[in-house]
Amino acid sequence: MPAQAHWVTPPAEYGILVPEGWFQIPLDPPKERDRAIGALVGRQFAGWDGVPVVKERLVGELRRWAKGAGRVGGVELYLSLLTLGGVPLASSLLVSLTPDGWPGCRTADDLARRLAAEVVELPGAGEAVRERRTEAPDPERLMGGTLSTTTVVYNVPVPASTAWLTLTFATPMEALAPRMVELFDAVAGTLHWQ
């Protein structure tokens, strides 16, 4: 696989490995997105016939969230269905594309200075700008959640183009945030161009 600096034309695709137990929702086209959301809710509520209102509300919330992600350049969304001792390990990954890049930022160093973030090396994708932050709870945005959210963002310049690929990981698991961040970093490390 060529190093980032050796690409003459932009790569056609990217690849990323996520843990088994994460569910992929493509954000476009809408039919595929809605089909994936229906499959996810059906899977999670298998055998629970007496909760149609809950299922309907969850489908609506997931569609609203996925549509919003699509409007800001989201390509695909992954949701963790993993559990530990019966406790859901809530986390997500939004992969998005900014075709026209960041104005005034041609390199990872340029963007890192703008965002006051760090530049890291991803083995299969080259330099990336990594940010980590913790946000106060926002029940409106997080389906009623009342825990702080830890977010790790990787902005990765797409070789031989002005585009940037962004990986946005998030978890409301305050007590497990350090371990979840290790997982997010490991997943980001699998990003590669094809």
Side-chain angles (χ1 to χ4, degrees):
M1 164 177 346
Q4 190 172 24
H6 295 113
W7 286 87
V8 178
T9 59
E13 294 182 26
Y14 65 89
I16 192 165
L17 301 174
V18 298
E20 190 174 323
W22 282 26
F23 191 90
Q24 179 187 23
I25 300 174
L27 298 178
D28 195 47
K31 275 186 173 182
E32 278 188 46
R33 178 194 64 221
D34 291 346
R35 188 172 323 152
I37 289 171
L40 170 62
V41 172
R43 174 182 167 172
Q44 293 304 102
F45 285 92
W48 293 55
D49 295 331
V51 290
V53 173
V54 173
K55 288 170 34 175
E56 185 177 312
R57 180 170 180 227
L58 182 56
V59 166
E61 287 291 321
L62 287 171
R63 282 184 180 162
R64 184 178 61 80
W65 195 34
K67 284 179 188 176
R71 281 194 294 273
V72 294
V75 176
E76 57 187 347
L77 175 66
Y78 293 89
L79 299 175
S80 170
L81 305 180
L82 300 173
T83 61
L84 179 63
V87 176
L89 295 178
S91 59
S92 63
L93 164 59
L94 173 64
V95 180
S96 53
L97 183 66
T98 307
D100 298 325
W102 289 79
C105 297
R106 296 184 50 126
T107 68
D109 288 324
D110 293 341
L111 184 58
R113 278 191 295 279
R114 176 186 281 183
L115 300 176
E118 65 178 325
V119 175
V120 297
E121 184 73 23
L122 299 178
E127 288 187 336
V129 178
R130 182 185 182 274
E131 302 174 80
R132 177 182 173 177
R133 61 183 175 269
T134 301
E135 300 167 321
D138 183 353
E140 280 291 313
R141 191 171 59 90
L142 297 174
M143 297 185 205
T146 58
L147 300 174
S148 296
T149 301
T150 298
T151 304
V152 179
V153 179
Y154 283 86
N155 288 292
V156 187
V158 177
S161 78
T162 59
W164 289 72
L165 189 73
T166 302
L167 309 176
T168 305
F169 298 91
T171 183
M173 306 294 295
E174 288 180 275
L176 296 176
R179 293 287 186 217
M180 297 301 286
V181 168
E182 288 176 12
L183 174 64
F184 299 161
D185 290 339
V187 171
T190 71
L191 178 68
H192 56 279
W193 306 115
Q194 301 173 342

